[in-house]
Short mmCIF file of all heavy atoms in Angstrom, two decimals:
data_model
loop_
_atom_site.label_atom_id
_atom_site.label_comp_id
_atom_site.label_asym_id
_atom_site.label_seq_id
_atom_site.Cartn_x
_atom_site.Cartn_y
_atom_site.Cartn_z
N GLN K 363 92.43 105.62 67.75
CA GLN K 363 91.99 106.68 66.84
C GLN K 363 91.52 107.92 67.59
O GLN K 363 91.26 108.96 66.97
CB GLN K 363 90.85 106.18 65.95
CG GLN K 363 91.20 104.94 65.13
CD GLN K 363 92.38 105.17 64.21
OE1 GLN K 363 92.55 106.24 63.64
NE2 GLN K 363 93.21 104.15 64.07
N ARG K 419 108.23 111.36 68.51
CA ARG K 419 108.11 112.81 68.59
C ARG K 419 106.63 113.15 68.56
O ARG K 419 105.94 112.89 67.56
CB ARG K 419 108.86 113.45 67.42
CG ARG K 419 110.38 113.19 67.46
CD ARG K 419 111.03 113.26 66.10
NE ARG K 419 110.59 112.18 65.23
CZ ARG K 419 111.13 110.95 65.23
NH1 ARG K 419 112.11 110.66 66.07
NH2 ARG K 419 110.69 110.02 64.41
N ALA K 439 94.17 119.08 68.19
CA ALA K 439 94.93 118.40 67.14
C ALA K 439 96.19 117.83 67.76
O ALA K 439 96.73 118.38 68.74
CB ALA K 439 95.30 119.37 66.02
N GLU K 440 96.65 116.73 67.23
CA GLU K 440 97.90 116.14 67.71
C GLU K 440 98.55 115.33 66.60
O GLU K 440 97.88 114.84 65.68
CB GLU K 440 97.68 115.28 68.96
CG GLU K 440 96.89 114.02 68.76
CD GLU K 440 96.72 113.23 70.06
OE1 GLU K 440 96.63 113.87 71.14
OE2 GLU K 440 96.68 112.00 70.00
N SER K 441 99.86 115.19 66.70
CA SER K 441 100.61 114.38 65.75
C SER K 441 101.63 113.55 66.51
O SER K 441 102.11 113.94 67.58
CB SER K 441 101.32 115.26 64.71
OG SER K 441 102.36 116.01 65.33
N SER K 442 101.96 112.40 65.94
CA SER K 442 102.94 111.51 66.56
C SER K 442 103.72 110.81 65.46
O SER K 442 103.12 110.31 64.49
CB SER K 442 102.24 110.48 67.44
OG SER K 442 103.16 109.57 68.00
N ASN K 443 105.03 110.80 65.58
CA ASN K 443 105.91 110.10 64.64
C ASN K 443 106.79 109.15 65.44
O ASN K 443 107.61 109.60 66.25
CB ASN K 443 106.78 111.08 63.87
CG ASN K 443 105.96 111.99 62.97
OD1 ASN K 443 105.41 111.56 61.98
ND2 ASN K 443 105.90 113.27 63.33
N LEU K 480 105.52 104.35 62.46
CA LEU K 480 104.13 104.81 62.43
C LEU K 480 104.07 106.33 62.53
O LEU K 480 104.73 106.93 63.38
CB LEU K 480 103.36 104.18 63.58
CG LEU K 480 101.86 104.46 63.65
CD1 LEU K 480 101.13 103.90 62.43
CD2 LEU K 480 101.27 103.87 64.93
N GLU K 481 103.27 106.94 61.66
CA GLU K 481 102.96 108.36 61.72
C GLU K 481 101.46 108.52 61.88
O GLU K 481 100.68 107.88 61.15
CB GLU K 481 103.42 109.09 60.46
CG GLU K 481 104.92 109.10 60.24
CD GLU K 481 105.32 109.92 59.04
OE1 GLU K 481 104.42 110.58 58.45
OE2 GLU K 481 106.50 109.91 58.69
N SER K 482 101.05 109.38 62.81
CA SER K 482 99.62 109.57 63.07
C SER K 482 99.30 111.06 63.18
O SER K 482 100.10 111.83 63.73
CB SER K 482 99.21 108.88 64.38
OG SER K 482 99.48 107.50 64.33
N ARG K 483 98.14 111.44 62.68
CA ARG K 483 97.62 112.79 62.80
C ARG K 483 96.17 112.67 63.25
O ARG K 483 95.38 111.94 62.65
CB ARG K 483 97.68 113.54 61.46
CG ARG K 483 99.07 113.56 60.82
CD ARG K 483 100.02 114.50 61.54
NE ARG K 483 101.30 114.57 60.85
CZ ARG K 483 102.32 113.77 61.11
NH1 ARG K 483 102.21 112.81 62.03
NH2 ARG K 483 103.46 113.90 60.45
N ARG K 484 95.81 113.43 64.30
CA ARG K 484 94.44 113.38 64.81
C ARG K 484 93.96 114.80 65.10
O ARG K 484 94.75 115.65 65.53
CB ARG K 484 94.37 112.55 66.09
CG ARG K 484 94.97 111.15 65.96
CD ARG K 484 94.88 110.39 67.26
NE ARG K 484 95.58 109.12 67.21
CZ ARG K 484 96.80 108.92 67.70
NH1 ARG K 484 97.45 109.91 68.29
NH2 ARG K 484 97.39 107.74 67.61
N MET K 485 92.68 115.03 64.88
CA MET K 485 92.10 116.35 65.16
C MET K 485 90.62 116.20 65.46
O MET K 485 90.02 115.14 65.22
CB MET K 485 92.31 117.28 63.97
CG MET K 485 91.65 116.84 62.69
SD MET K 485 92.09 117.88 61.27
CE MET K 485 93.81 117.43 61.09
N TYR K 505 88.72 113.11 63.71
CA TYR K 505 89.30 112.60 62.46
C TYR K 505 90.74 112.22 62.72
O TYR K 505 91.48 112.92 63.41
CB TYR K 505 89.25 113.65 61.35
CG TYR K 505 90.00 113.21 60.10
CD1 TYR K 505 89.44 112.27 59.23
CD2 TYR K 505 91.27 113.69 59.83
CE1 TYR K 505 90.13 111.84 58.11
CE2 TYR K 505 91.97 113.27 58.70
CZ TYR K 505 91.40 112.33 57.85
OH TYR K 505 92.09 111.90 56.75
N SER K 506 91.16 111.08 62.16
CA SER K 506 92.55 110.67 62.29
C SER K 506 93.04 110.04 60.99
O SER K 506 92.26 109.44 60.24
CB SER K 506 92.73 109.69 63.45
OG SER K 506 92.12 108.45 63.16
N HIS K 507 94.33 110.21 60.75
CA HIS K 507 95.00 109.62 59.59
C HIS K 507 96.32 109.05 60.07
O HIS K 507 97.06 109.71 60.82
CB HIS K 507 95.24 110.67 58.52
CG HIS K 507 96.09 110.18 57.37
ND1 HIS K 507 95.57 109.46 56.32
CD2 HIS K 507 97.42 110.29 57.13
CE1 HIS K 507 96.54 109.16 55.47
NE2 HIS K 507 97.69 109.65 55.95
N SER K 508 96.63 107.82 59.67
CA SER K 508 97.89 107.21 60.09
C SER K 508 98.46 106.38 58.95
O SER K 508 97.72 105.85 58.11
CB SER K 508 97.69 106.33 61.33
OG SER K 508 96.81 105.26 61.06
N GLU K 509 99.78 106.28 58.94
CA GLU K 509 100.50 105.46 57.97
C GLU K 509 101.59 104.70 58.71
O GLU K 509 102.33 105.29 59.51
CB GLU K 509 101.12 106.34 56.88
CG GLU K 509 100.10 107.12 56.06
CD GLU K 509 100.75 107.97 55.00
OE1 GLU K 509 101.97 107.80 54.77
OE2 GLU K 509 100.05 108.81 54.41
#
Side-chain angles (χ1 to χ4, degrees):
Q363 303 301 323
R419 296 155 293 276
E440 67 180 33
S441 68
S442 178
N443 295 290
L480 184 63
E481 295 185 6
S482 301
R483 306 287 184 269
R484 307 180 187 99
M485 62 187 69
Y505 173 76
S506 69
H507 172 83
S508 63
E509 298 180 11

